[in-house]
Each structure stands twice: as C-alpha cells, then as structure tokens.
Amino acid sequence: MKTIVSRLLHSHSQASRQRLYTMALSRNGRLLSTDSNRKNDSFKAKEAEIPDVKPPSVEKLLVLGGNGFVGSHICREAIERGLTVSSLSRSGRSFLQDSWADNVVWHQGDLLSPDSLKHKLTGVYSVISCVGGFGSNSHMYKINGTANLNAVRAAAEQGVKRFAYISAADFGFINYILRGYYEGKRATEKELTTKLPYGGVILRPGFIHGTRRVGRMKLPLSIIGDPLEMILQHAKLLTQIPLIGPLFIPPVSVTSVAKVAVTAATDSAFPPGIVDVYSILQRSQ
C-alpha cells in the first residue's frame, strides 16, 4: 500500500499528493476499522454462546436398609458426595459411631406396612434399596420380594425419579436351594422395570466382601474376597462351565457396590436396566 501511495505522490502536485494521501489513509482506516469491528462482533458472538450454568441442586436420597452392611456404605458414599441422605429400616438409627452417620436422617419403619413409607418419600428424588435377608423360603420371599415390591410401588406413586435396587447374581443350582430369596429378587426386578422403566437400575453383585460387623465383632471378609476378585474378574469364561460355572463369578467389594449404586440413583445419564458384577467392577473404577 505504501509503495502505491509513494508512486502517486511523485507523479502529482503537492496539493494532489496531499489529497491522494488523505484518501489513502481514509481508505486504509476504514479497512482497519472494518477488520476490528469483525473481530469485536465475533468475540461478542462467542460470549453470547456461553450458557448460563447453574450449580447442581442437592437431591434427596432415601436408602432403604441404610444401617446394614451394604446400606451403611451407601449412606457414607452419598454423604461424602454432598447429598441429603435419609434411611429407613426396622431398627432406625445405625449403631455406628462414625461422624458421617450424624449427617443421615434415620427413620424407623417397616416396608411390609406400605403406609409407613409414603410420607418418608416426600421430596425424595431417588431411592436405593438394600433390603434383603435369608431364612425359610416364605420368609425370604417376604423380605426380598414383598417388602421391596411395596417400596417400588410407593416410590412410583410419589413421583420418585430414580430407584436403584441391590439384587443378586444368578448362581445356578444355588438359586433353587434359595428359591424364596431369588424369586423375591426377580419379582422386585420385574416390578421395577415396569413402574420405573427409565429410572430403574438393578445391580446384580455376587459375593460382597468388606469388613462386616456382627455385634461387637468385625469380620474381615476382604481377606478372602480381595484375592478372589483379582483372579476371577479376568476369568469370565469359567462361568460358562455347566453346573459349576456360576461359582466362578468374582466377588465385589462393598465400596464398589456403594459407588455404583449412588451413581445409578443420582445420575440421570446412567442407563436403566441390569448391571452385572463385571459392569459393577468396571464402573466403580
């Protein structure tokens, strides 16, 4: 641009040169102004595209059976994530003296009496059920089936958005021996997928290990569970062996179950349906 102006200046009078120089500067100024405006407009457009991000709201989580072995770990995991947590169980408050337990609202109630649950679901966004037990076939069906069926139905009626259920992996012939246990579990699974098709998640762990308290005693189940988990999680093909195959399903730690359960219950992006033991191990990492 300067070269063109210089040649023009040499070929014209002083007045002409002055007029040409002024015109050149004016044109160049307009070009610079146009480029600057484009950049400013582009910057403004980018600023306008930034969404107004609001901090996530603290959702209420209700843990059924929250003072048990699995339930207490789920409550602790949820508290550590900053959630508002309450628990409902027949015995009420947990006997644990850990500091996190003071942040849980402990309710006493019986899932076999559906009315005792409904008002505990007010304002609750998600539910995790760890309710289960052993005994006679009729007793096992009542605890694993009827109690949880009542919970699923009440949650659906009260508008709960998500429900995570701690079920159990299939163990072949053991399913027949513990018929009431598994029939109750599977009945609950079916009801959950019917009542909450988009928000129901079913976890099917095998043997759950960790430090389990029985009265004043602590049973370090991870002494057996940890090495078996490390070995069997890479031996999935063994589970295909007829009859004895299910015995090779890897154990899973209670902390892994708790992590996946809380995520499944609170993350709307978590897909509904069954989560087997291998998926629990993978997602917990």
Side-chain angles (χ1 to χ4, degrees), residues 55-212:
S57 58
V58 178
E59 305 289 0
K60 291 184 179 180
L61 169 67
L62 174 62
V63 182
L64 305 177
N67 61 358
F69 173 51
V70 177
S72 61
H73 282 81
I74 287 175
C75 287
R76 179 175 181 174
E77 176 69 22
I79 288 294
E80 290 177 351
R81 296 194 193 188
L83 299 171
T84 300
V85 183
S86 59
S87 167
L88 177 70
S89 60
R90 286 181 294 178
S91 55
R93 182 181 171 82
S94 172
F95 61 87
L96 296 174
Q97 300 301 315
D98 299 335
S99 59
W100 62 263
D102 295 330
N103 296 315
V104 177
V105 178
W106 302 96
H107 299 293
Q108 186 172 11
D110 189 351
L111 293 182
L112 294 176
S113 301
D115 291 338
S116 69
L117 172 62
K118 287 184 178 179
H119 70 280
K120 304 295 191 306
L121 290 168
T122 303
V124 169
Y125 174 79
S126 55
V127 173
I128 300 176
S129 178
C130 317
V131 174
F134 297 95
S136 65
N137 278 320
S138 60
H139 177 76
M140 286 191 290
Y141 185 87
K142 184 183 295 184
I143 299 301
N144 297 281
T146 306
N148 284 300
L149 289 170
N150 290 339
V152 171
R153 290 164 185 163
E157 290 174 4
Q158 295 298 314
V160 170
K161 302 300 181 184
R162 299 190 65 80
F163 194 118
Y165 175 52
I166 310 301
S167 187
D170 286 318
F171 277 96
F173 66 90
I174 294 179
N175 288 28
Y176 178 76
I177 298 173
L178 301 175
R179 187 170 66 257
Y181 178 85
Y182 278 96
E183 286 179 355
K185 292 284 189 185
R186 298 301 175 252
T188 301
E189 292 180 2
K190 183 178 179 180
E191 188 71 6
L192 182 56
T193 55
T194 301
K195 296 292 187 182
L196 285 92
Y198 303 108
V201 181
I202 299 158
L203 275 65
R204 284 186 176 181
F207 169 63
I208 300 176
H209 65 87
T211 301
R212 190 164 196 154

